[in-house]
Amino acid sequence: MAYDNKVALITGANKGLGLEIARQLGKQGVTVVLSARDAAKGEPAVAILKSEGIDAHFVKLEVTEEADVDALPGYFGEKFGRLDILVNNAGVERDRGGITREGFRETYETNVIAPYFVTQALLPLLKAAPAGRIVNHSSILGSLTVIGAPDQVAAEWLGAAYSSSKAALNMLTVIQMRQLAGTNVKVNAAHPGWVKTDLGGDGAQLEVTDGAKTAVELALLPEDGPTGGYFHGGETLPW
Ligand SMILES: NC(=O)c1ccc[n+]([C@@H]2O[C@H](COP(=O)([O-])OP(=O)(O)OC[C@H]3O[C@@H](n4cnc5c(N)ncnc54)[C@H](OP(=O)(O)O)[C@@H]3O)[C@@H](O)[C@H]2O)c1
């Protein structure tokens, strides 16, 4: 049975911004598939959204695990017959306290290589959707312009692995835009703001409800919306 609703996959959706993006998309009538690497964390998150009246589902996805990624097209094809929105949200920051080679590799595996291959696996479904949308959850800390301006970012925010991974994700966004020219699929990079999550910390400025808004807006862009951009709250950010 083909779904009438738009269907969205949000990676790393068991908590933080991913869970809130799923909630806000669900409240707008999108069927949301929350993915998490651990079913024991993902299933309860789905249950919370269901209790709020949202059509929510769970799929296990360790984004760095090839077998999990390879299984995605079959899951969406068989269960929904479609995928309209992909939010590459799962991410890690391993610089604090000093970056190790292992931490650097984990950062790149999770923040760069994984979103690329998750997207590649799902492109046929996204291209078949009437208005395919890809959101890469980036960060202002991936901006070469901002990181290069000493008056804009304090030295304690300079994370070699995290910032360079988000800069790479920004480049992937532009490459994907070029590759998707002439299709119905739009791809954009989102900076959520500095948000109170496990990653952002308690000192952050924004609550998740506000932090999720940029990604949600880009996931629901109309046909005349932008592609290949880098945004926060409707404003274009410098690469
Ligand atoms: N919070 C901020 O201020 C801020 C600012 C700019 C950008 N961002 C970006 O926003 C995104 C979400 O961050 P957040 O603040 O919500 O962080 P968070 O609360 O730490 O959540 C991160 C999510 O990613 C998942 N994840 C990490 N590695 C994974 C893997 N290998 N496979 C599957 N899932 C994985 C985590 O799962 P587990 O629970 O299993 O670890 C968790 O669900 C990230 O890409 C982050 O870089 C956040």
Side-chain angles (χ1 to χ4, degrees):
M1 188 190 75
Y3 253 58
D4 290 334
N5 275 3
K6 281 186 184 174
V7 177
L9 169 64
I10 304 97
T11 68
N14 51 289
K15 66 177 184 180
L17 286 160
L19 174 57
E20 181 60 23
I21 292 164
R23 173 181 282 116
Q24 291 185 17
L25 287 174
K27 284 189 175 158
Q28 298 206 47
V30 176
T31 291
V32 288
V33 177
L34 284 71
S35 77
R37 51 182 157 184
D38 182 353
K41 295 186 202 166
E43 298 276 17
V46 167
I48 291 169
L49 296 196
K50 280 186 174 164
S51 75
E52 296 172 13
I54 290 166
D55 185 19
H57 304 259
F58 173 72
V59 68
K60 191 255 176 186
L61 175 63
E62 160 59 63
V63 292
T64 65
E65 189 62 56
E66 223 174 312
D68 285 2
V69 176
D70 289 349
L72 289 173
Y75 169 83
F76 282 97
E78 283 157 33
K79 196 169 170 89
F80 305 104
R82 66 189 290 173
L83 178 70
D84 302 80
I85 296 164
L86 167 62
V87 184
N88 283 311
N89 168 74
V92 294
E93 185 277 308
R94 297 289 183 248
D95 291 87
R96 265 173 283 190
I99 191 69
T100 60
R101 282 173 188 271
E102 194 188 344
F104 222 122
R105 285 194 195 98
E106 184 193 355
T107 305
Y108 271 61
E109 284 282 349
T110 312
N111 296 6
V112 184
I113 299 171
Y116 180 75
F117 284 102
V118 168
T119 302
Q120 286 301 115
L122 293 168
L123 270 187
L125 281 161
L126 290 162
K127 283 182 183 171
R133 300 288 180 261
I134 302 164
V135 182
N136 290 326
H137 227 177
S138 181
S139 167
I140 192 65
L141 296 177
S143 165
L144 298 176
T145 308
V146 170
I147 292 294
D151 57 325
Q152 290 194 50
V153 174
E156 74 239 37
W157 285 97
L158 302 177
Y162 186 76
S163 275
S164 62
S165 76
K166 294 298 188 181
L169 183 62
N170 286 350
M171 178 58 87
L172 288 181
T173 305
V174 175
I175 287 172
Q176 287 164 341
M177 173 274 284
R178 296 283 306 276
Q179 292 171 339
L180 290 164
T183 73
N184 286 332
V185 184
K186 294 183 189 298
V187 53
N188 289 289
H191 167 55
W194 183 22
V195 188
K196 290 186 181 72
T197 63
D198 288 347
L199 189 151
D202 294 337
Q205 294 159 331
L206 299 180
E207 300 297 331
V208 281
T209 41
D210 286 325
K213 284 179 183 165
T214 299
V216 169
E217 187 189 340
L218 293 173
L220 297 172
L221 280 175
E223 202 181 329
D224 61 354
T227 187
Y230 179 29
F231 298 100
H232 171 67
E235 300 290 321
T236 299
L237 300 175
W239 293 114

